């Protein structure tokens, strides 16, 4: 019965530290895909996050700026985590990371080097190459990766501050598709593991956290919910619930039932 | 600033590529001059010139040259 889990120990809570920063919330929230930036602002507030991802893109020249994303982000409250989304080579990702550091005044970067536009799955070779360069340049690299434990370890070896395995493809909302691999990554990692991508709803967050993830990064699950603010709150509660469940140490699973009420002292019943 | 002046007395112009579009500025010009001409705010803006980052404190010092390729970026919503 190897599929039955053994009892897990209760665990010690530790604050989440990435590089030199300590985060009170284990939720990392994206700022993309919102139809309305004031809804985004409220959703971020409800999520309790202290770190938000942003993308680096060309300014529209000759167009009056109007209110922009940054007008809706309190940068005293939220650490900015610029990403390298949309990069398919290590060179491009490094360029975008450098631009993001200049624009965001933040040493943090969410590194993604993607394989192709349909799957948006990470290119492990390009990711590793870019990670080496960015670590050498002093970036705190939070690295998007597949759920491959070997690649995760290689990234850790080159000095990334956090490995961020995908639960499922970006924006797919399929949840944690390979919990076994995520667990192996977590068990072997000595840097924080943040499950990034694929989170569709609150239970997906709880599952990731119950597996022992140090945090969860999500975007579409909140932005494309019918009520993003309520979903953001649900994600926060799920994150806390999952974390507590992992810390508490779950019971072992059993194939057969085990009565919760005492068998002794029952009245005379039929069948005995 | 995007059309060349046919007059021979016109000051020399620098032909640049900015965010993928051809642009011209009167020489001499620094990165700061270009940003001012474009009306670009400095906060949360980053500039890359010929694939090299131009740090903000250098905007006033870095002179543009004919043929420069510039990327001017900011932060937008993303995951």
């Amino acid at each position: 019965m190897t599929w039955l889990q053994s009892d897990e120990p209760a665990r010690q809570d530790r604050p989440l530290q990435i590089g030199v920063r300590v985060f009170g919330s284990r939720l990392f929230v994206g700022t993309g895909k919102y139809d309305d930036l004031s809804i985004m602002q409220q959703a971020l507030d409800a999520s309790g996050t202290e770190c938000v991802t942003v993308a680096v893109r060309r300014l529209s020249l000759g167009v009056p700026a109007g209110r922009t994303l940054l007008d809706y982000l309190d940068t005293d409250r939220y650490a900015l985590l610029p990403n390298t989304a949309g990069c398919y080579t290590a060179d491009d990702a490094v360029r975008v990371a450098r631009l993001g550091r200049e624009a965001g005044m933040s040493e943090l970067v969410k590194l993604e080097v993607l394989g192709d536009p349909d799957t948006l799955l990470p290119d492990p070779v390009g990711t590793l190459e870019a990670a080496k360069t960015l670590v050498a340049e002093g970036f705190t690299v939070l690295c998007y990766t597949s759920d491959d434990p070997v690649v995760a370890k290689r990234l850790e070896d080159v000095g990334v501050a956090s490995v961020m395995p995908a639960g499922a493809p970006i924006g797919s909302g399929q949840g944690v598709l390979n919990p076994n691999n995520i667990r192996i990554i977590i068990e072997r990692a000595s840097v924080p593991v943040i499950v990034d991508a694929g989170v569709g709803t609150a239970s997906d967050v709880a599952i990731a956290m119950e597996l022992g993830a140090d945090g969860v990064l999500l975007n579409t699950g909140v932005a494309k919910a019918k009520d993003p603010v309520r979903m953001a709150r649900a994600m926060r509660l799920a994150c806390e619930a999952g974390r507590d469940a992992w810390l508490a140490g779950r019971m072992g699973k059993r194939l057969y039932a085990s009565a919760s009420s005492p068998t002794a002292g029952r009245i005379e019943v039929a069948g005995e | 600033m995007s059309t060349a002046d046919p007059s021979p007395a016109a000051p020399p112009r620098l032909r640049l590529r900015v965010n993928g579009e051809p642009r011209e500025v009167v020489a001499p010009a620094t990165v700061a001059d270009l940003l001012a001409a474009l009306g670009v705010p400095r906060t949360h803006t980053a500039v890359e010139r010929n694939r090299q980052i131009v740090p903000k404190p250098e905007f006033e010092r870095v002179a543009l040259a004919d043929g420069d390729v510039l990327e001017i970026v900011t932060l937008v919503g993303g995951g």
Side-chain angles (χ1 to χ4, degrees):
Chain A
M1 285 297 140
T2 52
W3 58 272
L4 297 180
Q5 281 182 311
S6 60
D7 288 88
E8 292 175 358
R11 298 173 171 96
Q12 202 73 36
D13 199 9
R14 275 193 293 263
L16 173 57
Q17 181 168 359
I18 298 173
V20 296
R21 296 175 190 248
V22 176
F23 295 101
S25 164
R26 292 176 181 273
L27 218 48
F28 295 73
V29 182
T31 56
K33 295 187 179 171
Y34 283 91
D35 300 324
D36 178 338
L37 287 175
S38 72
I39 295 290
M40 176 205 75
Q41 194 175 43
Q42 294 170 54
L44 294 179
D45 178 58
S47 76
T49 187
E50 294 178 0
C51 186
V52 299
T53 57
V54 291
V56 178
R57 290 293 179 268
R58 284 172 167 171
L59 265 166
S60 307
L61 302 174
V63 181
R67 293 193 77 186
T68 65
L69 174 76
L70 278 311
D71 296 320
Y72 292 85
L73 288 180
D74 176 357
T75 49
D76 290 331
R77 176 171 177 186
Y78 305 116
L80 296 181
L81 175 55
N83 68 29
T84 64
C87 291
Y88 294 89
T89 66
D91 275 353
D92 284 348
V94 168
R95 283 174 71 197
V96 170
R98 290 171 181 157
L99 284 165
R101 175 157 69 177
E102 276 296 304
M105 310 306 285
S106 161
E107 82 290 359
L108 301 172
V109 62
K110 175 185 164 181
L111 173 62
E112 17 181 323
V113 181
L114 304 173
D116 69 81
D118 293 324
T119 66
L120 297 180
L121 289 172
D123 170 353
V125 178
T127 303
L128 198 60
E129 193 185 326
K132 272 186 209 163
T133 304
L134 293 174
V135 167
E137 292 185 14
F139 283 87
T140 298
V141 180
L142 290 82
C143 196
Y144 173 63
T145 179
S146 67
D147 60 14
D148 181 334
V150 178
V151 174
K153 207 65 199 163
R154 291 276 187 273
L155 290 168
E156 199 184 313
D157 291 344
V158 301
V160 303
S162 171
V163 290
M164 305 205 294
I170 293 171
S172 71
Q174 296 182 59
V176 178
L177 292 181
N178 193 341
N180 295 326
N181 271 19
I182 300 287
R183 264 184 76 177
I184 292 170
I185 290 172
I186 291 166
E187 282 186 9
R188 302 182 353 152
S190 50
V191 296
V193 176
I194 297 172
V195 171
D196 175 5
V199 169
T201 188
S203 56
D204 298 335
V205 174
I207 285 168
M209 295 306 291
E210 286 177 15
L211 291 170
D214 295 281
V216 171
L217 194 158
L218 55 88
N219 188 154
T220 314
V222 169
K224 289 299 167 197
K226 302 295 176 288
D227 181 345
V229 181
R230 187 173 289 270
M231 185 57 92
R233 179 174 172 274
M235 297 299 196
R236 170 172 65 80
L237 296 170
C239 188
E240 290 172 9
R243 176 70 180 174
D244 269 346
W246 182 74
L247 288 170
R250 63 153 298 145
M251 61 165 278
K253 284 184 184 173
R254 302 164 52 95
L255 186 56
Y256 289 95
S258 163
S260 297
S261 304
T263 46
R266 291 175 300 161
I267 62 167
E268 202 167 73
V269 291
E272 286 188 8
Chain B
M1 58 176 270
S2 59
T3 53
D5 191 329
S7 153
R13 288 175 163 269
L14 305 174
R15 283 159 300 172
L16 312 172
R17 194 159 185 88
V18 183
N19 287 2
E21 302 284 333
R23 297 214 173 231
E24 292 191 3
V25 292
V26 176
T30 62
V31 170
D33 295 333
L34 175 67
L35 295 182
L38 295 169
V40 169
R42 299 239 185 146
T43 36
H44 301 296
T45 297
V47 177
E48 187 196 71
R49 174 176 172 250
N50 303 330
R51 302 205 161 210
Q52 296 287 318
I53 293 287
V54 184
K56 280 197 181 76
E58 305 281 314
F59 283 179
E60 269 75 21
R61 281 197 286 274
V62 173
L64 297 173
D66 197 50
D68 274 358
V69 178
L70 293 121
E71 295 286 349
I72 305 173
V73 302
T74 189
L75 303 175
V76 301

